[in-house]
Amino acid sequence: MRIVEVLDQTHQKDFLDIARTIYKDDSNYACPLDAEIEGIFDPKENSFFKHGEAGRWILQNDEGKVIGRIAAFINTNKAFSFDQPTGGCGFFECVNDKKAAFLLFDTAKEWLTVRGMEAMDGPVNFGENDNHWGLLVDGFMPQGYGMPYHQKYYKVFFEEYGFKVFFEQYSYHLDLKKPFPERFWKIAEWVAKKPGFTFEHFSYAKSEKYIQDLIAIYNEAWKFHDNFSPIDPEDIRKMALDGKGVVEEEFIWFAYHEGNPIAFFVMMPDINQILIKMDGKFNFWSKLKFLYNLKKKAITRARISIMGVVPKYQRFGVESAIFWHMDKVMKRKPHYKEVELSWVGDFNPKMISIYESVGGVKMKTHYTYRLLFDPNKPFKRTPIIPLENRGSKAKEKKVVERGE
């Protein structure tokens, strides 16, 4: 077997095509767009190259056939904030051959070690954690857009190599044909109509205002969390521009208290329901196919990708009030039958409670693993932040640590 670094167009194509080969007989797999994956490894497209670097490789067998791939990356804004400098690996795909899988893991580990890393998370993305993050271990069904799909045997590869679960990620499903619990609606309506609180949805006509509001909320809501880094406004502007024509303006909501932004909620149509028919291509004909399916309302599922609330308001039920407004929107769009609430970490009991309170059912589980290069060092899982300890910098430091 031979490891080959991806440095030219031929090997870029090999890197993309091996995923199509691995899943060619799996009807649940929706191949991400080639352009999206290539954009992650393009410094002109991915702002994480401003504070990091990435490498990627394919694996060939003795006959020269591609049988696997992996990528490795370092985000210098976060790498040195852990007990040990930590990089990441991702976009792992491999035939059912442990020796081949371990050679791919070795390659990523060696690349990170040379650059001063002492641990490796995986499978993760060279970007924000709302996309391409975690290994699917339960719920082998069609995934929401951005949520990765994997072969069942990958779990054995990661764990036998020495990776341990750093945190678990859960995706809940909400059947829109079933009514929300009555008690939930009473609380949600009371908060939604409370004096001083206002709610409005995104519009492209005022996109810059909402982008700035989202950034303000995000930076305030996450600034006391471990490994926080401020969000890049250009990333948000690019996402808004790329999503034009697909984004439902009434699926993105903002909450304000006395005019100040305090919460945001982002839900997107699950375009995987169309992409699953396109095999990762977005040429002229596939664009026509995409637009045709979009117009005929082929998308029946939406995915909640992120929600943020300023700590001061995290006990006010703002999330419930947003759901109250969203319910009215969904009743005007009856072709949507289901919402995926993803993903929530096992370290976030408050959000898990909210998902369950609206009737969400846990359907999928992904693992984010961590490998310590020195196995003698103590392994710690992502700490759980107790509900009563949220809301201030001092209190955020009081966390529950979990051993291996």
Side-chain angles (χ1 to χ4, degrees):
M1 291 185 286
R2 186 169 76 103
I3 287 285
V4 179
E5 188 171 5
V6 176
L7 296 173
D8 58 35
Q9 290 185 348
T10 297
H11 294 139
Q12 287 174 5
K13 184 176 183 302
D14 290 337
F15 187 88
L16 298 169
D17 286 345
I18 184 57
R20 283 184 267 269
T21 300
I22 294 285
Y23 300 103
K24 62 182 170 56
D25 297 320
D26 194 331
S27 61
N28 288 325
Y29 177 69
C31 185
L33 292 174
D34 291 351
E36 177 188 346
I37 301 302
E38 282 304 297
I40 292 168
F41 297 98
D42 184 348
K44 296 178 182 177
E45 294 285 330
N46 187 350
S47 67
F48 274 67
F49 278 98
K50 296 175 184 176
H51 48 82
E53 58 179 314
R56 54 177 168 157
W57 302 265
I58 56 170
L59 177 63
Q60 299 174 338
N61 65 12
D62 294 340
E63 289 74 44
K65 180 181 178 182
V66 179
I67 58 172
R69 75 180 192 190
I70 200 166
F73 3 81
I74 299 172
N75 175 359
T76 55
N77 282 356
K78 293 184 178 181
F80 299 96
S81 61
F82 298 102
D83 291 341
Q84 53 282 313
T86 302
C89 68
F91 301 93
F92 170 86
E93 303 289 356
C94 189
V95 297
N96 196 355
D97 181 328
K98 187 169 76 170
K99 184 179 179 182
F102 280 21
L103 182 53
L104 288 164
F105 292 146
D106 285 344
T107 302
K109 178 182 174 182
E110 289 167 11
W111 187 87
L112 291 168
T113 300
V114 167
R115 288 158 178 78
M117 298 296 102
E118 298 175 11
M120 174 168 68
D121 289 349
V124 299
N125 183 26
F126 190 45
E128 299 296 344
N129 65 11
D130 58 330
N131 286 325
H132 307 297
W133 202 283
L135 182 80
L136 181 67
V137 297
D138 186 53
F140 292 87
M141 60 185 73
Q143 300 296 301
Y145 176 73
M147 294 300 292
Y149 185 84
H150 295 112
Q151 292 287 3
K152 292 180 181 180
Y153 58 82
Y154 287 3
K155 180 175 184 289
V156 175
F157 289 164
F158 274 85
E159 294 182 0
E160 290 192 358
Y161 188 77
F163 285 92
K164 296 179 181 179
V165 177
F166 190 47
F167 58 81
E168 299 182 12
Q169 306 157 231
Y170 308 132
S171 294
Y172 285 74
H173 283 212
L174 189 62
D175 185 347
L176 296 179
K177 298 189 294 295
K178 296 180 179 179
F180 279 26
E182 186 62 30
R183 181 177 177 275
F184 174 86
W185 280 138
K186 288 181 179 178
I187 297 172
E189 184 176 11
W190 176 75
V191 176
K193 296 180 178 179
K194 199 172 181 181
F197 288 84
T198 55
F199 301 83
E200 55 190 75
H201 65 76
F202 174 82
S203 75
Y204 274 98
K206 299 190 292 182
S207 62
E208 188 59 31
K209 170 200 181 306
Y210 292 117
I211 288 170
Q212 294 302 322
D213 289 347
L214 186 149
I215 291 169
I217 297 162
Y218 179 92
N219 290 343
E220 183 66 22
W222 274 274
K223 69 180 180 181
F224 299 129
H225 289 207
D226 289 340
N227 313 308
F228 164 78
S229 58
I231 201 163
D232 189 331
E234 285 306 313
D235 286 346
I236 305 300
R237 292 188 185 101
K238 183 178 184 301
M239 289 168 61
L241 183 62
D242 290 347
K244 202 163 188 177
V246 176
V247 168
E248 298 255 17
E249 293 182 337
E250 290 181 297
F251 281 8
I252 302 175
W253 279 82
F254 292 83
Y256 301 85
H257 182 248
E258 297 179 350
N260 297 311
I262 62 169
F264 69 84
F265 167 100
V266 178
M267 184 167 79
M268 298 290 290
D270 185 5
I271 61 173
N272 263 7
Q273 290 183 291
I274 300 177
L275 296 184
I276 201 168
K277 308 171 184 178
M278 295 168 54
D279 201 29
K281 306 301 182 183
F282 206 53
N283 53 31
F284 176 76
W285 294 111
S286 59
K287 287 179 182 178
L288 289 180
K289 182 189 294 185
F290 185 90
L291 293 172
Y292 171 75
N293 280 279
L294 201 61
K295 188 173 182 179
K296 65 180 275 192
K297 294 181 169 55
I299 298 178
T300 62
R301 184 173 61 236
R303 177 196 170 205
I304 297 173
S305 58
I306 187 169
M307 183 186 303
V309 183
V310 170
K312 180 180 176 181
Y313 296 93
Q314 286 181 358
R315 296 185 184 181
F316 283 68
V318 176
E319 304 96 331
S320 301
I322 291 174
F323 273 101
W324 185 82
H325 284 281
M326 275 303 307
D327 181 63
K328 301 180 185 304
V329 173
M330 301 313 286
K331 285 175 178 173
R332 295 197 301 270
K333 300 176 183 292
H335 59 285
Y336 285 99
K337 310 296 183 186
E338 182 183 16
V339 172
E340 179 170 299
L341 315 169
S342 63
W343 54 262
V344 58
D346 62 348
F347 52 83
N348 191 347
K350 179 175 182 179
M351 193 56 67
I352 290 173
S353 177
I354 290 171
Y355 283 1
E356 292 177 348
S357 72
V358 300
V361 178
K362 188 194 297 183
M363 299 292 285
K364 302 163 186 170
T365 300
H366 291 75
Y367 286 170
T368 292
Y369 289 101
R370 174 164 290 182
L371 175 76
L372 302 184
F373 298 165
D374 181 352
N376 295 316
K377 288 191 174 181
F379 179 87
K380 297 178 183 178
R381 292 187 64 169
T382 296
I384 295 174
I385 303 175
L387 296 179
E388 65 272 16
N389 287 341
R390 296 173 183 268
S392 71
K393 184 172 183 178
K395 290 181 178 179
E396 286 283 353
K397 296 300 180 183
K398 298 178 182 178
V399 297
V400 178
E401 290 191 351
R402 299 183 287 178
E404 55 183 274

